[in-house]
Amino acid sequence: MDVLDLARWQFGITTVYHFIFVPLTIGLAPLVAIMQTVWVKTGDDKWLKLTKFFGKLLLINFALGVATGIVQEFQFGMTWSEYSRFVGDIFGAPLAMEALAAFFIESTFLGLWIFGWDRLPKKIHLAMIWAVAVAVNLSALFILAANSWMQHPVGATFNETTGRAGMTSIGDILTNNTLWAAFPHTVTASFLTAATFVAGISAWWMVKKARTGVAKDGTTAKSVYRTGLRFGCWIMIIAGIGVIWSGDSQAKLMFQQQPMKMAAAEALCHTEDGAAFSILTIGDVNNDCEGVTRLISVPGVTSFLANGNFNSTLQGVPELQAQYEQKYGYTDEAGNAISYSPNLMVTYWSFRLMIGFAAGSVALALAGIWLTRKGRVSDNKWLARLGIIAIPTPFLASSFGWIFTEIGRQPWVVAPNPTGVDGVWLLTARGVSPIAPWLVLTSMIVFTLLYGVLAVVWYKLMHRYTIEGAPEHVEDVSPTKIGGKPRTADGDDGPLSFAY
């Protein structure tokens, strides 16, 4: 492998791994905030138990997410220094905003929430977790602003003297229509992930308690876990509707801004009127469009999804390739032909796996609501198994969504804006650092091994505190004024025992 291939693999490995933690944190922080809000409003202890149970899992996930995210930014300088030189004046702004405005807030207020249970008045303590919930979503906004600029550059101009992109308007970057299509889709997908996590664990615990007869006396399983399951299921339904709506909006925009990505996603190998939606297509793994064969497809649906018209015309991969060659060149600096088409097989299947894995959440939401209707507590072992099986499905859907988004953009690291900014684009091959391949290979192996160790630590911690379950007894230790003395120096409700 050359430096380009190794750098791509390294960034892909670390990014997909990091994004395991991101959607759960973005979604779970607001859900924990809602649980605590209901407790503050009603005084019902079952919501305090759910808050502490899932709050503890949120803390573990947040810590691992931060640790793995730091490596991401180092890679820009280590293996993508030419890319960093080209976009540094622009890309650095939203990243700095994320670090200063969002990460600072979420870290500070998360600390106050952890250690403030017995030192802050109840409503002020509640405000801490809401600040965290807002900040994690604000963090997602700034990160997506940077990524959306790479997908669709705006607010910038190409400086021929320096050979770099320069910012002309931070306002344009933060109001990029690509950003405001991606942000709702990412946030709703994160809520779907977190809600599936809450519902899946609650379903497993409810069935476990019910099968031992503990739930029938109306205690923990019935009051706490059934409540957690139904809460997660209803959030899943709302978030699922949001995912579909925002995904459709984002796809329509991508047909305009990156038609090659969407043509590859649909295996659209020729320009068509009333383009069909492919359900099953087989093809040449060597990315030969002529070797692709559609086996099952629905006429007109892709055209409708793209333009709201079943008969509209969509361009195929070869026609788009010819247009790109004419506008951006036929060969690179070494005289090699440039393919402007992403890998068809990866793009096609990652798009479908992104959609298909969402079915796990749908199945759990429907089963959970039906089997717990009218106050029932289910002891159905298949519901417990479905809960566990469904938990990883939205994580996988999100990961394949990002694989589709990033590989579908290739060969661009900064895709050209088809309607606005001129000259601000960069081929991925031109963004790598001029270093020896063994250096990239070494760092890739080190990161992969390190991330493997962190994965084991994350799993063991999540498993340990999930198996412990929600606390059987909780106490309101809130003081009446700031700085009040703790009512309990130790025990289940002590701040340190909650944090660790």
Side-chain angles (χ1 to χ4, degrees):
M1 289 187 183
D2 58 17
V3 173
L4 175 60
D5 290 333
L6 290 168
R8 278 173 159 162
W9 272 105
Q10 183 188 81
F11 201 82
I13 290 170
T14 54
T15 301
V16 169
Y17 183 85
H18 173 61
F19 203 72
I20 291 173
F21 308 106
V22 173
L24 183 58
T25 298
I26 294 173
L28 191 55
L31 296 193
V32 171
I34 293 172
M35 293 173 186
Q36 187 171 344
T37 301
V38 178
W39 169 63
V40 171
K41 288 288 185 182
T42 65
D44 191 332
D45 283 349
K46 68 184 179 185
W47 288 103
L48 180 56
K49 292 176 181 177
L50 287 170
T51 301
K52 293 206 168 189
F53 181 38
F54 288 105
K56 193 181 299 182
L57 300 178
L58 169 66
L59 297 180
I60 297 168
N61 196 71
F62 177 84
L64 269 294
V66 171
T68 56
I70 292 172
V71 174
Q72 300 298 106
E73 301 194 14
F74 281 123
Q75 289 180 90
F76 293 133
M78 291 167 53
T79 53
W80 298 99
S81 59
E82 291 302 311
Y83 158 80
S84 299
R85 189 189 67 80
F86 183 79
V87 306
D89 290 349
I90 299 165
F91 203 71
L95 291 185
M97 291 178 184
E98 192 269 343
L100 294 174
F103 182 68
F104 175 77
I105 294 173
E106 63 192 76
S107 300
T108 301
F109 286 98
L110 190 60
L112 290 170
W113 187 69
I114 293 171
F115 297 105
W117 282 92
D118 57 354
R119 297 186 180 278
L120 295 173
K122 191 182 297 184
K123 291 185 179 179
I124 293 179
H125 184 256
L126 174 63
M128 301 299 104
I129 190 64
W130 274 112
V132 174
V134 171
V136 295
N137 282 271
L138 193 62
S139 180
L141 176 68
F142 289 128
I143 293 296
L144 286 172
N147 182 269
S148 296
W149 186 86
M150 296 159 63
Q151 307 282 346
H152 182 68
V154 295
T157 185
F158 179 68
N159 187 325
E160 294 185 358
T161 304
T162 63
R164 304 169 58 188
M167 184 188 297
T168 59
S169 171
I170 185 64
D172 287 350
I173 294 171
L174 296 179
T175 57
N176 189 347
N177 58 3
T178 309
L179 166 63
W180 289 102
F183 182 64
H185 194 55
T186 303
V187 169
T188 51
S190 298
F191 271 81
L192 183 68
T193 302
T196 306
F197 182 79
V198 170
I201 292 174
S202 298
W204 184 83
W205 264 109
M206 182 188 70
V207 173
K208 179 181 178 181
K209 292 285 188 181
R211 292 180 73 83
T212 59
V214 178
K216 295 179 181 177
D217 63 2
T219 55
T220 304
K222 185 172 184 178
S223 62
V224 177
Y225 295 119
R226 178 181 176 276
T227 299
L229 171 60
R230 290 184 66 83
F231 173 71
C233 288
W234 284 113
I235 295 292
M236 272 193 278
I237 291 174
I238 297 170
I241 294 171
V243 167
I244 295 171
W245 167 78
S246 58
D248 178 67
S249 300
Q250 194 175 17
K252 283 180 167 57
L253 194 62
M254 283 298 102
F255 273 107
Q256 300 170 19
Q257 296 177 349
Q258 295 181 32
M260 181 66 91
K261 175 189 289 185
M262 302 311 295
E266 295 301 331
L268 198 63
C269 285
H270 300 286
T271 297
E272 293 182 26
D273 297 327
F277 180 81
S278 170
I279 297 176
L280 178 60
T281 294
I282 58 173
D284 191 331
V285 296
N286 293 319
N287 212 32
D288 179 6
C289 197
E290 295 302 321
V292 171
T293 303
R294 289 184 187 178
L295 297 180
I296 305 173
S297 58
V298 183
V301 172
T302 297
S303 286
F304 179 79
L305 293 175
N307 303 308
N309 183 344
F310 285 102
N311 297 314
S312 64
T313 302
L314 296 181
Q315 293 181 303
V317 171
E319 291 80 6
L320 290 166
Q321 170 74 22
Q323 293 175 20
Y324 278 101
E325 287 175 345
Q326 188 173 24
K327 191 169 184 178
Y328 301 106
Y330 294 86
T331 59
D332 59 19
E333 291 82 352
N336 301 313
I338 301 175
S339 173
Y340 293 98
S341 168
N343 185 293
L344 290 181
M345 187 179 70
V346 176
T347 309
Y348 178 88
W349 283 110
S350 60
F351 185 63
R352 275 145 190 80
L353 290 171
M354 173 188 68
I355 299 171
F357 274 116
S361 298
V362 174
L364 178 59
L366 296 177
I369 289 175
W370 176 254
L371 293 174
T372 59
R373 66 191 186 281
K374 298 180 179 179
R376 298 178 186 179
V377 175
S378 175
D379 62 355
N380 189 321
K381 63 181 181 181
W382 288 105
L383 178 60
R385 291 174 181 173
L386 178 60
I388 299 302
I389 293 171
I391 288 173
T393 58
F395 288 93
L396 292 169
S398 293
S399 296
F400 279 112
W402 275 107
I403 290 171
F404 164 71
T405 299
E406 298 306 303
I407 290 185
R409 186 182 59 197
Q410 298 304 316
W412 307 102
V413 65
V414 178
N417 183 331
T419 58
V421 179
D422 291 329
V424 182
W425 50 265
L426 186 68
L427 290 168
T428 306
R430 297 172 183 169
V432 294
S433 302
I435 56 177
W438 70 268
L439 288 171
V440 186
L441 179 62
T442 302
S443 60
M444 184 178 77
I445 293 173
V446 171
F447 286 148
T448 303
L449 293 176
L450 178 62
Y451 277 22
V453 172
L454 290 176
V456 173
V457 172
W458 174 78
Y459 175 78
K460 283 186 173 294
L461 288 172
M462 295 293 274
H463 182 265
R464 172 185 170 184
Y465 287 105
T466 299
I467 292 298
E468 279 189 3
E472 291 289 336
H473 305 287
V474 290
E475 181 185 357
D476 180 4
V477 294
S478 306
T480 56
K481 59 182 180 181
I482 296 176
K485 293 183 179 179
R487 295 180 186 177
T488 55
D490 200 358
D492 289 343
D493 293 326
L496 290 180
S497 66
F498 173 71
Y500 301 113

